[in-house]
Amino acid sequence: MVKQSYFTILSQRQLTSAMYEMVLEGDTSALAAPGQFVNLKLEGFYLRRPISVCTYDSKTMTLLYKVVGKGTAYMATLPAGTKLDILTGLGNGYDTSLSGDRPILCGGGAGVPPMYELAKVLIAEGKHPAVLLGFNTKEEIFYEEEFKALGADVYVATADGSYGTKGFVTHLLDLVKGYTYSYSCGPEPMLKAVYDATNTSGQFSFEERMGCGFGACMGCSCKTKYGNKRICKDGPVLAKEEIIW
Amino acid sequence: MVNTKVQLSSLTLDNPVIPASGTFGFGYEFAELYDINVLGSFSFKGTTKEPRFGNPTPRIAECPEGLINSVGLQNPGIHAVIAEELPKLAKCFHKPVIANISGFSVDEYAYCCELIDKEPQVGLIEVNVSCPNVHNGGMAFGTDAVAAAEVTRAVKAVTTKPVYIKLSPNVTDIVSIAKACEEAGADGISMINTLLGMRIDLNRKKPIIANKMGGFSGPAIFPVALRMVYQVYEAVNIPIIGMGGVSSADDVIEMMLAGATAVQVGAANLIDPFAAKKIVEDLPRAMEQYHISSLKDIIGGAH
Ligand SMILES: Cc1cc2nc3c(=O)[nH]c(=O)nc-3n(C[C@H](O)[C@H](O)[C@H](O)COP(=O)(O)OP(=O)(O)OC[C@H]3O[C@@H](n4cnc5c(N)ncnc54)[C@H](O)[C@@H]3O)c2cc1C
Ligand SMILES: Cc1cc2nc3c(=O)[nH]c(=O)nc-3n(C[C@H](O)[C@H](O)[C@H](O)COP(=O)(O)O)c2cc1C
Ligand code: FES
């Protein structure tokens, strides 16, 4: 259920040269599942900016965002106390009921954030997730310690080999024996690589440029084996069985 | 007490605020958020004879005070709209709805309009003539007075409800096209559709939109839309539904002063899902501020 409300920035923290963590206080009652996203209205920008919910509780919500353009650069300048108009409760999110005991959670770069809440929920459900994180370089790594603190097994790959296993998240698959399911979020080539390399079912989170973020404009449509879907409303998470590359 | 009622041909609207086609789906996303019966009416997603996926993505690009879309008329097709969407809509919207119809040939327009005309929920048919005309050398119906008149005549011949022709602004002389539609029997004019626009991604150095170009709308186009409504009002004697960048009650009043009988709100719904409701609720305040007791009295008042 979509909700529009005002959140107040409690804190901002720079995690790497481009990644920031923003903690906000407000009405989180519309947040229903890990993998959902929110849509932020920023002063001076016409369209809202979609950002995944990294984690939340009854009063606060944490977003991790990468500065890639003017809107996210502006977000990074906002001081604590700033009020933001935010649409919450957007998207379907991940379904944890299908995970089995040993799901793998694959996050790549700016796709890592939603894996945090997902890992938290899966662990609370008594499951044993393995978190596979992919970054370009050692300098770009964030949240490794936070994932470990949840009690998840964490494996890191860097494309240049400067930390952990050299290569991509798919190079970490061999390290996890007998995984039961996969959850992924990251750039599309990473999603495709996980899709091809895994022998279990899974769920994959997609990105698309959005006009509204709540299903009204058909700006974000994609074709699936079960018909046309809107990434913002029927996604962003699609089941492995329905994806058409 | 102020009076917000307006008359669009045979249709009496409680207020002139109408969400524009393509920005309100078939209503349900918004009905989950508020009672959409507060609206004057709304225009549903552009419907064609066959189901359409539309254009490849990305099909949205941000602009200063607006956006470009190249959705390309994604819709389930006229038969599914009648069999599935309208019955679902009946549960949450109890006023006559505006049917927005598109086509790729004169026959398709007539086919869809004849079918939709029979639906009791439909109060008015808005014929979108700004799609590429595959039977006419790739030219758009809405950019050619003769073709626009031909569609108007074909649709009027098979329908009983008011027919409003929705015009494209991407023309040198919108007035001559509006006049051609009036002469061909149109009951009203709906204007404007989006302006052809483009953005280029500086990193990739290629167009952002997969289709390269798309329709530009939002507050940035308001002055252009207002000017065109003003010009067409001088030239025709049929009602005009004005739109293009309308985002506030003040914009509604300005558009009506230029000559609009009712006003559509498009892009604003995407940025703020409550935009149309807020405009309806703010109208009485704006009317009092500008000393207007009845909205219908100000139509074309700026002339
Ligand atoms: C469902 C979803 C969840 C996301 N979650 C996160 C997250 O948790 N952390 C994070 O860092 N990023 C996330 N993104 C990507 C984020 O939305 C973009 O990086 C951001 O919108 C860029 O804005 P900008 O103004 O800095 O860039 P600009 O390039 O200046 O933006 C111009 C326009 O393009 C849009 N745009 C640009 N890149 C993207 C993109 N990759 N996806 C969708 N729209 C884009 C912008 O929203 C804006 O409308 C998510 C995207 C989606 C669709
Ligand atoms: C995402 C989007 C989809 C649209 N789809 C349609 C459509 O299907 N049929 C139509 O007649 N107009 C369509 N339009 C045009 C609008 O109805 C309206 O004419 C135009 O956007 C100008 O109004 P605005 O500036 O308030 O958005 C669409 C506009 C947008 C932004
Ligand atoms: S962004 Fe509007 S429908 Fe998905």
Side-chain angles (χ1 to χ4, degrees):
Chain A
M1 185 74 184
V2 182
K3 189 162 210 143
Q4 179 179 30
S5 60
Y6 282 86
F7 281 71
T8 306
I9 299 177
L10 289 181
S11 66
Q12 286 238 66
R13 178 164 71 108
Q14 189 166 4
L15 303 175
T16 69
S17 65
M19 237 22 233
Y20 288 78
E21 175 194 73
M22 179 187 276
V23 183
L24 300 129
E25 184 172 44
D27 181 353
T28 57
S29 61
L31 304 181
Q36 283 190 316
F37 66 99
V38 298
N39 220 353
L40 294 90
K41 181 77 183 130
L42 303 172
E43 186 79 38
F45 295 87
Y46 193 65
L47 296 180
R48 289 172 184 265
R49 294 297 186 274
I51 303 287
S52 304
V53 177
C54 170
T55 188
Y56 66 98
D57 60 27
S58 59
K59 286 198 294 291
T60 70
M61 165 171 91
T62 301
L63 309 177
L64 307 188
Y65 61 95
K66 184 177 179 184
V67 172
V68 297
K70 294 197 173 79
T72 44
Y74 171 76
M75 277 172 72
T77 67
L78 298 174
T82 306
K83 275 193 161 38
L84 289 175
D85 167 353
I86 303 184
L87 295 179
T88 54
L90 306 179
N92 55 354
Y94 293 107
D95 180 349
T96 58
S97 70
L98 303 167
S99 71
D101 182 58
R102 184 67 166 161
I104 46 168
L105 278 54
C106 307
V112 169
M115 292 300 144
Y116 184 77
E117 179 66 22
L118 178 61
K120 209 165 122 180
V121 171
L122 289 165
I123 289 168
E125 290 175 356
K127 293 157 183 169
H128 300 89
V131 178
L132 317 185
L133 305 176
F135 301 97
N136 288 316
T137 65
K138 181 173 189 255
E139 287 67 41
E140 293 183 14
I141 298 172
F142 60 90
Y143 259 52
E144 186 188 4
E145 292 313 314
E146 282 82 350
F147 276 102
K148 284 184 176 157
L150 290 176
D153 296 331
V154 182
Y155 303 89
V156 178
T158 51
D160 69 350
S162 53
Y163 186 90
T165 303
K166 182 172 162 55
F168 306 108
V169 283
T170 40
H171 294 115
L172 301 169
L173 285 174
D174 292 340
L175 304 175
V176 187
K177 294 275 168 306
Y179 61 85
T180 51
Y181 200 77
S182 77
Y183 294 99
S184 305
C185 185
E188 209 164 298
M190 183 208 105
L191 299 181
K192 177 75 167 78
V194 174
Y195 177 98
D196 288 335
T198 49
N199 47 25
T200 64
S201 180
Q203 293 168 34
F204 297 77
S205 184
F206 287 81
E207 277 186 5
E208 193 46 81
R209 298 218 173 207
M210 294 183 175
C212 66
F214 55 90
C217 73
M218 300 290 156
C220 65
S221 297
C222 69
K223 289 180 182 164
T224 76
K225 290 178 189 157
Y226 308 153
N228 300 335
K229 292 203 167 181
R230 294 158 296 182
I231 293 294
C232 72
K233 177 103 178 173
D234 313 307
V237 178
L238 300 182
K240 190 174 185 182
E241 293 70 31
E242 65 181 318
I243 296 168
I244 301 173
W245 295 101
Chain B
M1 261 312 274
V2 293
N3 182 0
T4 57
K5 281 197 167 40
V6 295
Q7 191 76 28
L8 273 182
S9 305
S10 56
L11 210 62
T12 306
L13 306 183
D14 292 336
N15 64 66
V17 181
I18 304 171
S21 178
T23 65
F24 214 73
F26 288 89
Y28 344 117
E29 279 77 23
F30 294 86
E32 282 180 21
L33 300 174
Y34 66 89
D35 179 5
I36 60 174
N37 292 289
V38 301
L39 303 166
S41 179
F42 83 86
S43 180
F44 66 54
K45 177 63 197 172
T47 295
T48 52
K49 185 178 177 195
E50 306 296 338
R52 284 175 59 82
F53 172 74
N55 292 320
T57 57
R59 48 196 197 186
I60 299 287
E62 187 180 51
C63 304
E65 290 300 302
L67 76 153
I68 292 173
N69 90 82
S70 71
V71 170
L73 295 172
Q74 181 179 346
N75 78 93
I78 186 77
H79 294 285
V81 166
I82 291 171
E84 290 157 34
E85 308 292 343
L86 288 183
K88 269 201 265 175
L89 176 62
K91 296 196 183 105
C92 54
F93 192 59
H94 314 304
K95 293 181 171 180
V97 69
I98 297 178
N100 185 282
I101 300 294
S102 274
F104 295 88
S105 68
V106 173
D107 289 347
E108 266 186 51
Y109 278 107
Y111 179 86
C112 293
C113 290
E114 184 172 9
L115 285 178
I116 211 74
D117 187 62
K118 298 193 175 73
E119 294 302 312
Q121 278 164 275
V122 171
L124 189 149
I125 302 171
E126 184 178 54
V127 182
N128 175 12
V129 291
S130 20
C131 286
N133 170 14
V134 288
H135 286 180
N136 202 8
M139 209 182 1
F141 284 105
T143 56
D144 180 86
V146 177
E150 199 189 336
V151 174
T152 308
R153 265 191 300 274
V155 169
K156 278 300 288 177
V158 293
T159 52
T160 58
K161 290 177 178 161
V163 171
Y164 280 49
I165 308 297
K166 182 162 174 181
L167 300 185
S168 165
N170 305 310
V171 295
T172 37
D173 182 14
I174 198 165
V175 170
S176 65
I177 296 173
K179 278 164 87 169
C181 293
E182 181 181 34
E183 279 159 24
D187 298 287
I189 299 293
S190 188
M191 59 188 285
I192 58 174
N193 209 316
T194 52
L195 289 149
L196 202 55
M198 182 167 175
R199 294 304 305 269
I200 293 170
D201 183 327
L202 298 184
N203 290 311
R204 291 188 305 110
K205 301 180 176 59
K206 290 281 178 278
I208 291 175
I209 299 271
N211 240 20
K212 301 186 177 71
M213 293 167 219
F216 178 35
S217 72
I221 74 165
F222 181 74
V224 178
L226 189 81
R227 180 267 295 178
M228 288 185 160
V229 167
Y230 187 92
Q231 288 178 313
V232 169
Y233 180 82
E234 303 228 309
V236 300
N237 294 309
I238 48 179
I240 300 167
I241 304 178
M243 80 198 79
V246 173
S247 314
S248 68
D250 282 20
D251 293 346
V252 170
I253 291 173
E254 199 171 335
M255 198 53 104
M256 292 183 75
L257 287 168
T261 295
V263 173
Q264 290 188 8
V265 177
N269 296 302
L270 308 181
I271 306 315
D272 176 357
F274 297 93
K277 176 180 191 267
K278 287 176 183 166
I279 293 172
V280 170
E281 288 169 355
D282 196 36
L283 259 181
R285 190 245 359 123
M287 288 170 69
E288 267 164 38
Q289 179 178 346
Y290 303 111
H291 311 290
I292 299 162
S293 56
S294 178
L295 268 188
K296 64 178 186 320
D297 298 341
I298 67 163
I299 298 164
H303 291 261

